[in-house]
Amino acid sequence: MLTRGRHQGHSVALIAQRHKMLDLSARDQCGMLFAFLVGADDARDLSEDWADPELRRACELSPLHYYAKRRGEPIKSGKVVF
């Protein structure tokens, strides 16, 4: 897979039950977040790590709904469709 930009590289997907389970260095290198329903503490931590207060509402998401966030861009919401 080629990434956007001038460098041809690779993309890595990191999946965890709780984002704090991932090493801080790995979390800081992530450019895109997909957050599904999480607990209130995890929603607060995501909001702080990604500098977006809307992520505090990740604990209120309905099943199959998610937030998508790129660093430095507004948050988007979506729903998984089968």
Side-chain angles (χ1 to χ4, degrees), residues 18-77:
R18 303 180 80 183
H19 89 284
K20 290 282 187 171
M21 294 174 70
L22 297 171
D23 184 80
L24 177 60
S25 296
R27 292 195 320 261
D28 285 348
Q29 293 297 313
C30 291
M32 180 84 183
L33 168 74
F34 288 94
F36 290 83
L37 179 64
V38 297
D41 290 342
D42 291 320
R44 182 198 66 234
D45 293 341
L46 283 170
S47 176
E48 291 173 5
D49 284 358
W50 286 81
D52 193 321
E54 182 69 17
L55 283 170
R56 287 186 179 268
R57 298 187 62 213
C59 61
E60 302 169 6
L61 288 169
S62 299
L64 301 178
H65 287 80
Y66 63 89
Y67 286 135
K69 171 78 175 155
R70 285 187 188 275
R71 292 206 188 268
E73 294 183 11
I75 196 168
K76 297 178 183 174
S77 60

Side-chain angles (χ1 to χ4, degrees), residues 1-13:
M1 173 188 274
L2 299 178
T3 58
R4 291 187 296 183
R6 66 185 181 98
H7 298 284
Q8 295 181 352
H10 64 278
S11 294
V12 175

